[in-house]
Amino acid sequence: MSATERQSGDAGERPGLASGLRRAVALVAAPPRVGPLRADAFGSGLHDERPAAWLGMSLGVSFTICFATGLLSDLIQNPQAWFAWTPRPAWLYRVTQGTHVLTGLAAIPLLLVKLWVVYPRLWQWPTLRGAVHLIERLMLVPLVAGALFLLVTGVMNIGYWYAWGFGFLEGHYWAAWITIGALVVHLGAKAGVVGRVWRGGGRGALGEPRDGGLSRRGLLTGAWLASGLVVLTIAGQTVPLLRRLAVLAPRDMRSGPQGFPVNKTANDARVAETAVDPGWRLRVEGAVDRELEFTMDDLRARNLSEATLTIACVEGWSATQRWRGVPVRELVAEAGGAADAAVRVESLQTFGPYRATTLNPAFATDPDTLLALDVGGEALHLDHGFPVRLIAPNNPGVLQTKWVQKVVVL
Ligand SMILES: Nc1nc2c(c(=O)[nH]1)N[C@H]1C(S)=C(S)[C@@H](COP(=O)(O)O)O[C@H]1N2
Ligand SMILES: [Mo]
């Protein structure tokens, strides 16, 4: 090869690469206006920034409430040094967790309509208007994927369809942080539009009908109504007044033995035999002066306490019953444990995260924190935790340990 050839080859390659790249970037940023990129590709006047902004604000509110109540539920179940959950008011967790499930469900119709309203913007032209625009558009991936993931896994969980290979709690928890992070960025990017629409501006008048079809106001009202309807037809699983409307609720508050639901049966927990073994004893041990052991007859011979308490499941259903049993604090006192000690309550169940609960001192000393023998005037059904279960005020359902065999003073 001659020197001139090599030279001209080199010289021709460098500008060729640079200009090629520039042309490629320009093509991605502003591709030819064909197909959905045409200016008039989406005819409906409903793909408008006003319904988009109103739906966005509604989703912002529902996701924020859902996120806050979800974080709270996580904190209660995984306590941190700076946070202690309290047994009073006894109704609080039922309300926060009911709110978590209902705000999540309410978001479903809002999100579907919102995605439909804004999806033509996937083909907005020019596709890219610089680095900030690129970041804003890329953040839509975690936002949309995260929101869909949260709502789908949430619905699957309350529908008892555990068809995934990962832990629901971890997946749902981390997706929530990712989605909320992306939501903050998205709201920042859209603050101008939202402000404009909030002040009554924005493209097009809200009520203006287009092509004689659905008006923007009609679309919005429909989305909000669908959302309200979802709430009304599910809330009855925790709000007694709405019980008769609860046609979409996965759980009926009155189903199950003794008139309230069972999440995990004795068979599922593999305690069906150990729970009815006549050799069963309730043991009190740990940081105590004397270890104690009770048979069922010993417990029944005691002066038992009664309390009306609620099982409020993380899945949003709740059931309130009259319980009778032994206050945990009596057992701690009799064994000579410290009055302000934390207490771990352990099940006969040998596996799984819900086989034990740690009661912080506020719960352990509450007079209504019971090891219940009876519910509604009868001995506990095997599936409700026979021979003895924990029931405490304002305690999440997952922590109301069934089939108890041991109380460990910590
Ligand atoms: N040992 C044990 N206790 C448990 C569970 C469990 O899986 N194992 N599930 C909990 C959950 S998720 C709930 S909502 C309540 C339900 O109580 P119930 O079956 O009496 O309605 O029990 C809790 N106690
Ligand atoms: Mo639960």
Side-chain angles (χ1 to χ4, degrees), residues 75-106:
L75 255 182
I76 299 168
Q77 291 174 63
N78 304 291
Q80 308 292 314
W82 54 270
F83 177 87
W85 188 232
T86 59
R88 308 285 160 178
W91 46 262
L92 189 58
Y93 184 76
R94 174 189 185 178
V95 171
T96 64
Q97 195 57 18
T99 303
H100 177 72
V101 170
L102 290 174
T103 48
L105 291 166

Side-chain angles (χ1 to χ4, degrees), residues 160 251 257 260-265 269 271 311-315 317 319 323 346-349 351-357 380-381 383-385 389-390 396-404:
Y160 307 93
R251 276 288 151 115
F260 65 105
V262 168
N263 253 18
K264 188 144 213 145
T265 64
V271 296
I311 290 178
C313 181
V314 292
E315 289 142 17
W317 61 266
W323 305 87
E346 292 182 17
S347 173
L348 290 166
Q349 191 181 345
F351 62 95
Y354 306 130
R355 57 167 304 279
T357 295
L380 286 178
H381 187 280
D383 288 335
H384 284 311
R389 84 171 299 162
L390 175 67
V398 284
L399 304 181
Q400 308 274 35
T401 310
K402 304 199 271 192
W403 313 293
V404 171

Side-chain angles (χ1 to χ4, degrees), residues 15-27:
L17 185 68
S19 70
L21 258 176
R22 227 178 296 124
R23 248 179 288 137
V25 168
L27 195 65

